[in-house]
Amino acid sequence: MDLRHLRYFVAVAEEENIGRAAARLHISQPPLTRQIQQLEEELGVTLFIRTPRGMELTQAGELFLAEARNIRALVEQATERTQRAGQGKLGRLDVGIFGSAILDAIPKLLLSFRNRYPDVKVVLHTMTKAEQLEALRQRRITVGFNRMLSPLDDIGVRQVSTEGLLVAVQADHPLAHQPVVRFAELAEHPMILFPTGARPSFIDKVIGWATESGFQPHISQEVGDAVTGVALVASGFGVCLVPDSATTLQFPGVVYRTLTDTPPNFFVDLSCIYRKDDQSPLLAAFMETVDAFRAGERKR
Amino acid sequence: MDLRHLRYFVAVAEEENIGRAAARLHISQPPLTRQIQQLEEELGVTLFIRTPRGMELTQAGELFLAEARNIRALVEQATERTQRAGQGKLGRLDVGIFGSAILDAIPKLLLSFRNRYPDVKVVLHTMTKAEQLEALRQRRITVGFNRMLSPLDDIGVRQVSTEGLLVAVQADHPLAHQPVVRFAELAEHPMILFPTGARPSFIDKVIGWATESGFQPHISQEVGDAVTGVALVASGFGVCLVPDSATTLQFPGVVYRTLTDTPPNFFVDLSCIYRKDDQSPLLAAFMETVDAFRAGERKR
DNA sequence: CCTGCTCAATACCTCCAAGGTATGATCCTT
DNA sequence: AAGGATCATACCTTGGAGGTATTGAGCAGG
């Protein structure tokens, strides 16, 4: 049996007349007669009663008509859904993120992606940079977000956004009384750095900037992410360099100050990584959204 | 697209290897390669990633696999159900019956039919003989049950059972004190006859027997069916000749007595009628059950 | 009662495309 | 470097889907 048989059968059942059905199907009458005969023979069931006025469904034919219509509708739906999936408009996208990325870029980006592809289910997984790489290779995620990424043999990188840096200080800290803080002033104060884990990371960047500005930072504590860092600032552990977006964290007892006299390249970038050999249309669709987002960010 | 494409696609998806899939499908590898290419082209979607180790499903392919399996299962189910329907094992059978037929033969017969064809829904319609004929011709019923039927041009008859007759009398009636009653004794007592409506009917048969036994019955009342007749017996309207099976009706104040010295052919038969041009397998199946039932009845 | 009409079925032909064989083209393994 | 997988391509063969012409069977109208 064939989908053609179903199509022909439904036409004949609806027209109750082989000639008219053949016309509707744009074929001639005899082949249609034969196809119906074949179908009946294959099923071993008489589907039509031949009357002088045309074809009339038997009970079994009536039942088969319902089934045939259903199957044809499902085939239709299957192709349509598969095509949508093939265009990246339907499916599931697993995304690896790190703790504080959630603060700024990611929500906006995901919002924009959701608008374009409402039928794609996005699942977020919080994981470190190393975990992201492993998960990417094992295909547990399709993209990962992180900072300080460099391309690898099998992993591509796309920059998402660039952020300036602020310093988070306790509200009653001496630096909090100044409108702005010179970068070099930070030499005087214990610093909280993040993230722990795989180096090189943001920590090394901060140390590099300090060196360029002629001081060795006094590290009071290393923490996992910006959120924890700011929490420790509130508790008086020291000051903490954080990306712009961290200001979303309105911690009681913590204020943010802009920095002046900063070293060159005083910013951090957020990038996303993906498998270079991933041809998935979902990834392509997501990357397109990332590029659009980045273009929008740059303009601002 | 074709069911063949689905079958091939599922095989390749499951084997993750065109060669093995081709072997499983008993075709050679190149045609299978082409069929898969065709399918992908028709959908406009890449379903597989070709790796050096074989074929790997894309996300869209994964989705299509689920759909394809579903469709194939439905086709399977549709053919199977249609075949069952074609053999009369599935469907709906509308049956016309008359009031008191429900007492004996019909329930047993329907029970036996239900056992053989559990997926056939039997719908009972109570109607008179004339209504049954009309309903048969309009295809509102497939078979009808009645007594005293004779074949017509377009209507066939099949006998179902034969029953003897008893007389129903009030418990304190003089005849109730005898173990058996001679048929001629009924001449003395008012009789309740049934059914009203189309003649010839059971009424004429009773009058014929009376005539043969040399008396004119004294008709006290004509009623619609045996049940009503027995009810009137309880109320003292007279005696009533009923088929054996009516003894199922244990009416308070009514007893049944067997008859002796009965005229020849002192029995009634129950038959069923059907459209002669009805080729429905359901009817054939039912008739087969009727014949089997009748064979069982005869043996007893 | 025959004739013409309207169906579906049959006979026979044509040709496309599904399937087969032989052979690349790659990539991985040894 | 060689051999073995694996999928893709080239080319041939043939079954069957579709076409035309015709037959056969009911039914209606003159």
Side-chain angles (χ1 to χ4, degrees), chain A residues 2 59 67 74 81 282, chain B residues 2 59 67 74 81 282:
Chain A
D2 236 336
Q59 280 204 10
E67 306 266 11
L74 281 175
R81 282 167 55 87
L282 262 179
Chain B
D2 233 334
Q59 279 203 11
E67 307 267 9
L74 280 175
R81 282 167 55 88
L282 260 180

Side-chain angles (χ1 to χ4, degrees), chain A residues 9-37:
Chain A
F9 168 77
V10 170
V12 173
E14 283 175 357
E15 298 288 345
E16 296 188 328
N17 175 311
I18 290 197
R20 278 201 303 276
R24 186 171 121 184
L25 295 166
H26 305 112
I27 62 173
S28 63
Q29 172 255 317
L32 184 52
T33 293
R34 243 185 323 147
Q35 294 296 317
I36 297 294
Q37 286 172 338

Side-chain angles (χ1 to χ4, degrees), chain B residues 200-236:
Chain B
S201 73
F202 183 50
I203 294 184
D204 304 281
K205 210 156 187 174
V206 173
I207 293 174
W209 288 326
T211 310
E212 283 192 52
S213 301
F215 68 94
Q216 276 273 60
H218 176 247
I219 303 175
S220 79
Q221 188 74 37
E222 278 190 19
V223 298
D225 57 39
V227 180
T228 319
V230 174
L232 291 193
V233 169
S235 312

Side-chain angles (χ1 to χ4, degrees), chain B residues 128-165:
Chain B
T128 66
K129 198 191 294 183
E131 285 171 343
Q132 284 184 19
L133 286 173
E134 195 191 348
L136 266 181
R137 294 198 173 105
Q138 293 177 356
R139 326 241 164 145
R140 295 195 335 264
I141 62 174
T142 302
V143 285
F145 281 90
N146 228 306
R147 303 194 193 281
M148 316 250 331
L149 294 163
S150 39
L152 300 171
D153 266 5
D154 53 341
I155 303 290
V157 178
R158 189 82 58 103
Q159 192 173 339
V160 177
S161 68
T162 315
E163 295 189 68
L165 296 146

Side-chain angles (χ1 to χ4, degrees), chain B residues 171-189:
Chain B
D172 52 3
H173 191 278
L175 292 178
H177 303 134
Q178 311 175 203
V180 296
V181 176
R182 281 183 306 110
F183 184 66
E185 286 184 81
L186 299 180
E188 317 287 321
H189 305 280

Side-chain angles (χ1 to χ4, degrees), chain A residues 181-192:
Chain A
V181 175
R182 281 184 306 110
F183 183 67
E185 287 183 77
L186 298 180
E188 316 288 318
H189 304 279
M191 266 178 104
I192 301 156

